[in-house]
Amino acid sequence: MGKAIVITSGKGGVGKTTSSANIGIALAMMGKRVCLIDLDIGLRNLDVVLGLDNRVMYDIVDVADGRAKLVQALVKDKRFDDLLYLLPAAQNTDKNAVNQEQVKDIVDELKPDFDYVFIDCPAGIEQGFINAVSGADGAIVVTTPEISAVRDADRVIGLLEQHPLKESPNLIINRIRTSLMQDDSYMDIDEITTHLGINLLGVILDDDKVISTSNIGKSIVMDPDNPTAQGYRNVARRLEGETVPLMNINNSVKKEGFWNKLTHLFSHKK
Amino acid sequence: MQSAVLKGTQSGYEVILNESSSLEQINIDLKNLLNRLSESNLKKSEDIKLNIRIGNRLFSQEQKNTIMENINSYHGLSVGHFMSNVLTKEDAEAKFKQKYIEPMSKTIRNGQEVNIDGDVLFFGNVHEGGKLFASGNIYNMGNIKGIVQAGYPDNEDKLIIGNLHNAQQVRVGEQYDIVSDNPINNKESTVVYVNDLHLLSYGKINELKEINPKFFNRIGGII
């Protein structure tokens, strides 16, 4: 029996879909069977990020309304031998086209066949959010080191705590820019984690390649050397129960050593 | 034994009703008692208030009314108040609540609102956008970054005590302050109160005596 995890954030544009795709792929690369459900009905794009948009035949609304069977609507990602599937969202209906029970039924039907079912939640806290949460056993809250994203994450965690899932929510801090880490006004990871008061599942560095790879339907996580990819792979390993130390995000920030300071000092005096 | 007995005390006349007698018996005995009283040499001009002691039981309003009618029918006599040794559960709970301070360790997140009946001793977090409302006082030992209101909705006798410099708004009754417009000293605990001019003011804990003598006295301070 697999586990259903909703990926949510409250705020839009913080990387829910990108995170869903990359964590899903990372787990598939570890040999786990993963199903990704896109619940951003009307504005679907998980299929695009995965490069599967041209293979979509049926969608979740078709399944909910009984026009298609669940297995017919699942889109297989051929890159991962029978391990990664997508249940796409509909484009021509709105978020009220499915209800909580329908989503829950679909998720429950998928869980026995997969190790992980990830539910990509739409932005906001309306019906789409309620639908996405209703079928889930756990939640991953994605935020970025920006005040607006952290506030919305706080709101969402509050809502999740009011109607607790089986497991308490986890946090991913996405799009960390190392170049800004030394800026005092930049929110640091410890600050965000203590403030939100939930378990930190991982930190993901910002990288231009995230966009360039997803534009061609590939995912950053497949790049073996990229630190962002490393972040997503660490998240996947932690979900699997491994203890992985937090990536040292200050690596790329060069600190001035003692000798450098000394030489600077002398060069000034000249 | 008579079910209704008249007794004079320092605070006036009391009628003591036997708690094991029926109401019918009480009314009969009360009539006899009052008849004798009106025949006796009381000055007719004097209005007498009778307090009714009913012992370890409670009367409903209806039962009280029959006794009151009975007494009021005599010229110059009226009922002061009923005194009972017992309380209803509701009254007892309300009395308990009045003195009770609710300890609370909770994270109130953005968009959440917590309402407390009475005083609260707060150890938790109020995040930006979270709201903590108490009908009584708020004693804060936690971390408040959101909105706090004592004396909710409109009681201006209440206080907020604690470290409040991170809050967004402080409110007492109907008065409020935006903390960033009016920064609060972060070194010491602050007492937030409404002064005689109905303005929100800030004081130190050692000024509590001057700020709210009634409260200070109640919690054991010597004026």
Side-chain angles (χ1 to χ4, degrees), chain A residues 59-123:
Chain A
D59 55 53
I60 191 166
V61 178
D62 292 327
V63 177
D65 292 347
R67 285 192 294 271
K69 290 213 172 78
L70 185 54
V71 279
Q72 290 177 304
L74 289 179
V75 183
K76 182 157 92 174
D77 192 329
K78 288 192 169 166
R79 292 171 295 181
F80 308 97
D81 182 34
D82 203 26
L83 288 172
L84 187 67
Y85 286 82
L86 167 73
L87 179 57
Q91 277 178 312
N92 300 321
T93 41
D94 66 10
K95 292 181 174 76
N96 300 320
V98 289
N99 60 34
Q100 294 177 55
E101 286 76 35
Q102 288 170 326
V103 174
K104 196 171 183 314
D105 288 347
I106 290 170
V107 173
D108 287 346
E109 200 179 331
L110 286 168
K111 277 202 293 191
D113 295 335
F114 290 92
D115 296 312
Y116 288 94
V117 177
F118 287 104
I119 304 160
D120 185 20
C121 179

Side-chain angles (χ1 to χ4, degrees), chain A residues 151 154-155 157-158 161-162 195-198, chain B residues 107-112 127-129 145 168:
Chain A
R151 285 287 168 86
D154 193 28
R155 178 91 180 91
I157 295 165
E161 282 173 349
Q162 275 170 13
H195 177 77
L196 293 178
I198 61 173
Chain B
T107 299
I108 303 172
R109 295 182 184 272
N110 187 10
Q112 292 180 321
H127 286 180
E128 292 91 343
K145 291 181 181 170
Q168 290 176 313

Side-chain angles (χ1 to χ4, degrees), chain A residues 155-167:
Chain A
R155 178 91 180 91
V156 162
I157 295 165
L159 293 173
L160 288 170
E161 282 173 349
Q162 275 170 13
H163 308 283
L165 303 175
K166 263 185 223 158
E167 293 173 14

Side-chain angles (χ1 to χ4, degrees), chain A residues 23 27 72 76 125 143 213 234 242 255 258 270:
Chain A
I23 296 168
L27 282 161
Q72 290 177 304
K76 182 157 92 174
I125 51 172
T143 186
T213 50
N234 286 351
E242 287 182 45
K255 278 195 179 154
F258 172 72
K270 272 176 190 174

